[in-house]
Amino acid sequence: MQAAWIALCFVAWSSGPVDTAPAVPAPGQVRAAFLKMLDRPKVPADPWVGERKMNADGTILEHVVISTEKKRGGGVERVPMTILHPAAAAGRKPTVIVLHGTGGSKDGNRERETMARLAAKGIMAVAIDARYHGERVAGAKGAEAYNAAILAAWRAKPAEQEHPFYYDTVWDLWRTVDYLQSRRDVDPQRLGMIGFSMGGIETWLAASADDRIKVVVPAIGVQSFRYSLEHEQWQGRARTIALAHEAAAKDLGEPAVNARVCRALWTKVIPGILDRFDCPSMLRLMAPRPLLILSGEEDPNCPIGGARVAYQSAEAAYRAASAGDKLKILVAPKVGHKVTDDQLQAAVAWFVSWLKP
């Protein structure tokens, strides 16, 4: 049954014309440029380990906070995470980082469910709060603080600008990998990452440039920002952080959010996302590591036409690396911005297949 479903999904995404992605630098140049752009002075992780709670199923839930960089106004940026240990598992374990979507947190229902399914298969699961989400905001609800931070970055002078729209969380993910590799219960050669929506975008951005992340699953996050602008399909992405886009429209003298507003905002706040750091360019950097892409055929936030451009780029890279068996693309027919239960099962099976001995 599942094999038939996967075959149906393959037909859904591969049929029809595919736009050609713009010319971009070679993968090595892209990786070096991305690492350089996000680089900043490191600070010691200085982990604070909180309470370890035993669950009824024998798993252990641990709360940890680490430092990742100095803040502009003083102090350090702290990243809270929860770690779910498999029951009765000793020694160094395969470990998967789980990332939430816009307005969510590490403690969301989908994140807890994903972690539980991984732990049931003997894989340690780690969920973090992205910048301006979860425990990293005080009093703000949903994506309120995230919107405010993106708007502040839009209006800031370049030398004083943060990059809360994906990039700063990517830096936190790289530092999270540093910390996990220092733990005695983590196998540093068996690290994976899965993210949903915003977290899916952060997954392909972070993992593309960091080959310490061995197995990668971006869920409802693969798209092309450039494609969405060129084909008037930017609306879904703009709605995810509507307040920042609406304020940028006013600043630009536009009566409403439009492609010009999106282009200006994205270029300032996520530089390079319309060309060399767009998904079709970055996915090439994954090969030959195992990569499973989960998409919805009718996803308004990640239009399938732009996703196909990214799929095509990934396929070419995996063919060149003779690693076609390490790339799988599952598109759920007639599904919007949602991960189906079948897709989540496939993701867990993917991690088991490539991370378990």
Side-chain angles (χ1 to χ4, degrees):
M1 179 66 180
Q2 186 164 342
W5 181 83
I6 290 173
L8 175 62
C9 291
F10 179 86
V11 172
W13 76 257
S14 62
S15 60
V18 177
D19 287 48
T20 302
V24 291
Q29 293 175 306
V30 171
R31 178 183 285 107
F34 191 63
L35 291 170
K36 181 179 180 179
M37 185 182 71
L38 267 63
D39 193 31
R40 58 201 74 178
K42 292 183 181 180
V43 298
D46 187 25
W48 174 85
V49 181
E51 180 183 6
R52 290 167 60 95
K53 175 186 175 183
M54 175 72 78
N55 298 319
D57 60 1
T59 60
I60 297 174
L61 189 65
E62 179 182 12
H63 187 248
V64 177
V65 182
I66 65 169
S67 299
T68 61
E69 67 171 308
K70 291 182 179 179
K71 291 184 176 181
R72 291 181 182 276
V76 295
E77 194 69 46
R78 301 283 282 171
V79 177
M81 64 183 73
T82 55
I83 300 176
L84 187 63
H85 299 255
R92 294 187 179 272
K93 295 173 281 294
T95 302
V96 172
I97 300 171
V98 181
L99 306 171
H100 62 81
T102 302
S105 77
K106 67 184 184 310
D107 302 311
N109 291 333
R110 180 170 50 189
E111 289 67 39
R112 289 200 301 267
E113 172 67 15
T114 303
M115 295 174 75
R117 292 191 186 198
L118 289 166
K121 298 296 185 180
I123 298 173
M124 193 158 78
V126 179
I128 76 165
D129 282 328
R131 295 280 177 116
Y132 298 101
H133 285 80
E135 292 181 44
R136 304 177 75 172
V137 291
K141 297 182 179 179
E144 180 182 335
Y146 187 49
N147 265 279
I150 293 170
L151 179 56
W154 158 250
R155 290 175 172 167
K157 297 177 181 179
E160 301 170 355
Q161 179 187 341
E162 294 184 357
H163 291 91
F165 202 179
Y166 311 133
Y167 287 169
D168 288 342
T169 295
V170 169
W171 173 261
D172 292 338
L173 289 168
W174 292 340
R175 302 289 71 77
T176 298
V177 172
D178 288 343
Y179 167 67
L180 292 175
Q181 289 197 318
S182 75
R183 289 180 60 117
R184 294 183 178 180
D185 54 0
V186 172
D187 185 338
Q189 298 303 315
R190 291 190 290 162
L191 292 178
M193 185 178 292
I194 181 172
F196 303 95
S197 190
M198 175 187 76
I201 295 171
E202 291 160 351
T203 291
W204 57 255
L205 284 168
S208 61
D210 190 345
D211 59 11
R212 296 177 300 172
I213 304 165
K214 304 298 184 184
V215 183
V216 188
V217 182
I220 52 174
V222 165
Q223 62 178 101
S224 168
F225 285 79
R226 182 186 182 97
Y227 179 98
S228 67
L229 287 185
E230 292 179 343
H231 293 79
E232 280 296 313
Q233 295 180 10
W234 47 265
Q235 294 85 350
R237 179 56 51 204
R239 279 194 296 268
T240 64
I241 46 170
L243 293 179
H245 282 80
E246 290 165 3
K250 291 180 180 179
D251 290 347
L252 292 169
E254 296 286 350
V257 178
N258 55 30
R260 175 176 176 255
V261 171
C262 293
R263 183 180 296 277
L265 178 65
W266 299 352
T267 298
K268 173 78 183 295
V269 183
I270 34 177
I273 204 67
L274 296 178
D275 40 68
R276 58 183 175 170
F277 304 142
D278 198 2
C279 190
S281 173
M282 299 298 276
L283 282 189
R284 303 173 301 159
L285 280 58
M286 303 285 191
R289 289 171 287 159
L291 171 64
L292 170 65
I293 299 171
L294 306 179
S295 299
E297 183 183 25
E298 299 177 359
D299 188 343
N301 296 2
C302 304
I304 193 65
R308 286 189 179 118
V309 178
Y311 303 160
Q312 184 185 53
S313 175
E315 283 188 309
Y318 277 78
R319 279 197 303 268
S322 300
D325 62 320
K326 294 182 180 178
L327 172 65
K328 183 176 287 186
I329 302 163
L330 301 184
V331 180
K334 299 181 181 180
V335 170
H337 195 61
K338 176 185 176 181
V339 175
T340 68
D341 189 68
D342 281 337
Q343 286 178 315
L344 187 54
Q345 288 184 41
V348 173
W350 188 255
F351 285 120
V352 171
S353 175
W354 293 106
L355 290 179
K356 294 282 285 184

